Amino acid sequence: MGDNKENSSTNKGLVTIIIGLILIIAALVLFILFGKEKKSGDKKVEEEMSTPYQVVEAESTKTDAEEKEKTDEEVKDDIYAEFTFEGDSWGDEPTNNINIAITNKSDKDLSDWEIRIPGFKGAEIQGHWNGTFTLEENSDVLIITSTGEDWNKTVKAGTELQNIGGTIKFRSKEQYEALKNVKPVLYSAGKEIKAEEKAENPKTKETDSVKENEKEKKEVSKKIAPADVSGTPVSNHGALRVDGCDLVDKNGDAYQLKGISTHGIAWFPDFVNKDAFKTLRDEWGANVIRLAMYTAESGGYCTDGDKDKLKGLVDNGVDYATELGMYVIIDWHILSDNDPNQNKDEAIAFFDEMSKKYADYPNVLFEICNEPNGGTQWPQIKKYAEEVIPVIKANKEDAVIIVGTPTWSQDVDIAAEDPIEGYSNIMYTLHFYAATHKDNIRSKLETARSKGLAIFITEFSICDASGNGGVDYDSAKDWFKLIDKYNISYAAWNLANKNETSSLIRSDCSKTSGWNDEELSDTGLWLKKQMNY
């Protein structure tokens, strides 16, 4: 009986061990199965979270403690936008794709975002995806926003929004190349990201924040000068300056600007075109264009004119001249407003904007008051100039600035008695119409030169002072003897087909460029020969 009990106990022990092993094996199998299913599920969730525009986790190597100790410089770099172009290949037209990415390394979601990129003046948007691209007429800034859908309206904290893109037809290859150096500016709910982050950070002093904000605004508004066009006047002579009575080039050699003034750009806008300027450069020998923007007449900047449209025409004119390697004068064309102080505040705002925009352009000159008249005296003009000049110089220290003189810019001898002091590169305007202004005005030029005044003839014609009447070839010849004697720069009035003697194009010619000699007025034909002499 005892042997049977012992065998029974042994058998029960073996059974227990076997059951235990079975349970262990079963547990391992279940663990492996559930573990694989979980990993597979995680992958499925990741795939379901992916979107057409790719949201990816932004890289960060900082610990939580380090994030709390970020400096102001690090904070402003937490959220930023970047853009790249897709290759450098060109077909028949300068068209390329632009790709946008927004990085948000901060701990806050970025909502209602907007990207602004300056430098797209004259470009065309041909398509866009995962974002909305807009470029208003005559605007310099490309604006990119979300489509308004939830999937790309917000950039989550710690993520990156990619693959926002568009197809752009650029105005020129030079514009495309210049844009490679432009940084996009990111906004949220209408506020610039960098300015907002710095203002909210208690470590940043208020004065430093204001300075930084002003710097950013200046950088956004500034235009990028296209690369020099080889063999053109600007590439050969560079930024100009005043040395004594003379205008000199980058090498310090006396240099004469000779060219054409537009008529009022509000009235003859079609003549502000690249082909017209190219015709004047290549066939007439012109190296400068003067953009005459009237201030007080009908359609004038300070009366009932469309300010944005007028500034757009000025911008176009500067761009065309720059692309052709020509110099260009931005002219504040006072006339019926007599005294430049009448619209001084408008002038200051205008030249502040223009000098910021073209601060890096070596070819842009500024004429701050065309023809003071109606009894306006030199002390009034000088006072005005001494308020406008420092505004321009604050943005473009080496700017060449041309100041009008009394009596429709004829009394340069009076200005020579009390010239503007404390600024470099200041010139003074003398205007003449050969059939009216003869030895008496020529003697004023001689007197002013003898007293060291730098003179620029920014407007003239060979008819009478009305811009009409007969041509006086003999007086015109005498004027050019004096101009050649002193190597004085000049711009002839005017590039238009208005039915008057001073217009260079015949009134029955509708062409706005590429004119042959038969399509020129008597004044235009004479001037073309004179400039090529």
Side-chain angles (χ1 to χ4, degrees):
M1 294 288 295
D3 288 342
N4 290 334
K5 184 178 181 181
E6 184 177 348
N7 290 336
S8 176
S9 297
T10 300
N11 291 336
K12 287 181 178 178
L14 288 171
V15 170
T16 300
I17 291 170
I18 292 168
I19 292 172
L21 289 172
I22 292 170
L23 291 173
I24 290 170
I25 291 169
L28 288 171
V29 170
L30 290 172
F31 177 79
I32 291 169
L33 289 173
F34 279 109
K36 286 184 177 179
E37 185 175 352
K38 183 178 184 297
K39 288 182 180 178
S40 177
D42 288 346
K43 184 176 181 181
K44 184 178 180 181
V45 168
E46 287 178 0
E47 290 174 350
E48 289 175 351
M49 286 179 64
S50 66
T51 63
Y53 59 91
Q54 282 190 303
V55 174
V56 297
E57 185 174 353
E59 294 181 3
S60 177
T61 58
K62 294 181 180 292
T63 64
D64 291 342
E66 288 173 326
E67 288 289 336
K68 292 180 181 179
E69 295 299 322
K70 287 178 181 175
T71 64
D72 294 333
E73 281 298 307
E74 289 171 322
V75 167
K76 76 174 186 178
D77 290 334
D78 273 348
I79 309 174
Y80 55 90
E82 297 172 295
F83 77 93
T84 55
F85 293 113
E86 190 175 291
D88 283 323
S89 60
W90 297 89
D92 295 333
E93 297 178 337
T95 302
N96 212 326
N97 288 342
I98 179 173
N99 298 313
I100 302 291
I102 302 173
T103 299
N104 182 5
K105 293 182 181 179
S106 75
D107 57 358
K108 296 179 181 178
D109 293 348
L110 173 65
S111 301
D112 297 324
W113 57 267
E114 180 180 287
I115 297 168
R116 302 179 191 175
I117 312 174
F120 283 80
K121 183 65 176 293
E124 295 178 17
I125 300 167
Q126 296 191 332
H128 45 92
W129 52 90
N130 298 334
T132 301
F133 283 46
T134 55
L135 182 63
E136 295 179 0
E137 186 177 0
N138 293 324
S139 174
D140 175 55
V141 180
L142 174 66
I143 299 176
I144 304 164
T145 58
S146 74
T147 59
E149 302 294 333
D150 290 338
W151 60 267
N152 76 344
K153 191 173 183 179
T154 299
V155 184
K156 296 289 186 181
T159 66
E160 192 170 272
L161 181 62
Q162 297 180 344
N163 291 348
I164 306 165
T167 301
I168 307 293
K169 179 182 177 183
F170 298 93
R171 187 179 67 246
S172 63
K173 188 168 184 179
E174 288 77 13
Q175 180 186 42
Y176 163 78
E177 292 293 340
L179 279 164
K180 290 181 178 179
N181 299 317
V182 177
K183 293 183 178 180
V185 183
L186 183 61
Y187 290 75
S188 176
K191 293 183 179 180
E192 185 180 339
I193 290 293
K194 290 185 179 182
E196 183 181 25
E197 292 287 346
K198 290 180 77 67
E200 291 178 354
N201 195 308
K203 293 182 182 180
T204 305
K205 293 181 180 179
E206 183 177 353
T207 53
D208 290 339
S209 178
V210 170
K211 288 180 181 178
E212 187 65 22
N213 289 346
E214 290 302 317
K215 179 182 177 183
E216 292 293 337
K217 289 177 183 177
K218 185 174 179 179
E219 288 178 351
V220 169
S221 63
K222 186 187 295 183
K223 296 190 74 170
I224 306 299
D228 285 340
V229 181
S230 179
T232 61
V234 175
S235 66
N236 290 338
H237 297 278
L240 308 178
R241 60 185 176 85
V242 177
D243 183 7
C245 294
D246 297 320
L247 193 62
V248 301
D249 68 6
K250 64 182 179 182
N251 300 314
D253 298 326
Y255 185 60
Q256 183 186 43
L257 291 181
K258 53 180 183 176
I260 308 297
S261 174
T262 68
H263 204 301
I265 58 175
W267 308 323
F268 295 92
D270 292 345
F271 287 88
V272 181
N273 71 80
K274 186 175 179 179
D275 288 338
F277 295 179
K278 188 175 187 297
T279 300
L280 296 173
R281 185 195 68 176
D282 296 348
E283 298 181 22
W284 295 49
N287 57 18
V288 66
I289 295 292
R290 179 187 188 232
L291 302 171
M293 187 186 73
Y294 278 80
T295 55
E297 282 65 28
S298 175
Y301 188 86
C302 301
T303 50
D304 58 351
D306 183 332
K307 285 184 170 63
D308 289 337
K309 184 176 180 180
L310 289 168
K311 286 191 288 189
L313 285 167
V314 171
D315 288 340
N316 287 342
V318 172
D319 287 347
Y320 300 144
T322 303
E323 289 167 15
L324 293 165
M326 301 176 72
Y327 295 89
V328 59
I329 300 169
I330 298 176
D331 166 38
W332 185 254
H333 203 88
I334 71 159
L335 187 62
S336 63
D337 35 356
N338 304 328
D339 183 345
N341 290 286
Q342 182 174 322
N343 292 306
K344 180 181 65 182
D345 291 344
E346 291 266 32
I348 287 173
F350 175 80
F351 282 112
D352 184 35
E353 179 179 347
M354 290 295 155
S355 57
K356 279 180 182 175
K357 189 179 295 183
Y358 298 110
D360 295 332
Y361 279 50
N363 61 321
V364 178
L365 296 78
F366 303 94
E367 184 174 1
I368 63 175
C369 51
N370 167 58
E371 288 184 353
N373 62 86
T376 302
Q377 301 299 307
W378 174 242
Q380 296 166 270
I381 301 167
K382 184 179 179 183
K383 177 179 179 296
Y384 164 85
E386 288 175 335
E387 292 187 58
V388 176
I389 289 171
V391 172
I392 297 172
K393 292 290 187 180
N395 300 317
K396 187 177 175 65
E397 187 177 1
D398 61 350
V400 174
I401 300 173
I402 308 166
V403 183
T405 56
T407 318
W408 293 279
S409 285
Q410 295 165 37
D411 295 338
V412 287
D413 55 331
I414 295 175
E417 295 290 341
D418 182 25
I420 296 163
E421 297 180 348
Y423 301 99
S424 62
N425 297 334
I426 304 301
M427 303 188 79
Y428 299 81
T429 303
L430 183 142
H431 290 176
F432 73 84
Y433 283 77
T436 302
H437 307 122
K438 301 188 178 183
D439 286 343
N440 61 325
I441 307 301
R442 288 191 282 268
S443 67
K444 287 177 176 286
L445 188 154
E446 294 269 19
T447 298
R449 284 280 306 193
S450 69
K451 294 183 178 180
L453 211 67
I455 294 172
F456 198 131
I457 299 174
T458 59
E459 180 180 320
F460 78 94
S461 190
I462 59 175
C463 56
D464 67 38
S466 69
N468 223 327
V471 170
D472 190 330
Y473 293 111
D474 290 337
S475 180
K477 184 177 180 181
D478 288 340
W479 269 109
F480 267 84
K481 285 180 181 177
L482 197 59
I483 287 170
D484 292 341
K485 175 182 176 181
Y486 293 119
N487 201 44
I488 294 174
S489 295
Y490 62 83
W493 184 263
N494 63 77
L495 180 59
N497 61 348
K498 185 178 180 181
N499 188 20
E500 62 180 17
T501 311
S502 59
S503 285
L504 304 178
I505 314 303
R506 287 172 56 100
S507 59
D508 57 358
C509 174
S510 60
K511 291 168 62 175
T512 58
S513 65
W515 314 279
N516 59 44
D517 287 354
E518 288 71 29
E519 293 163 334
L520 303 180
S521 67
D522 290 343
T523 300
L525 189 60
W526 182 90
L527 183 67
K528 180 182 177 182
K529 291 178 179 178
Q530 178 64 43
M531 290 176 67
N532 279 299
Y533 176 73

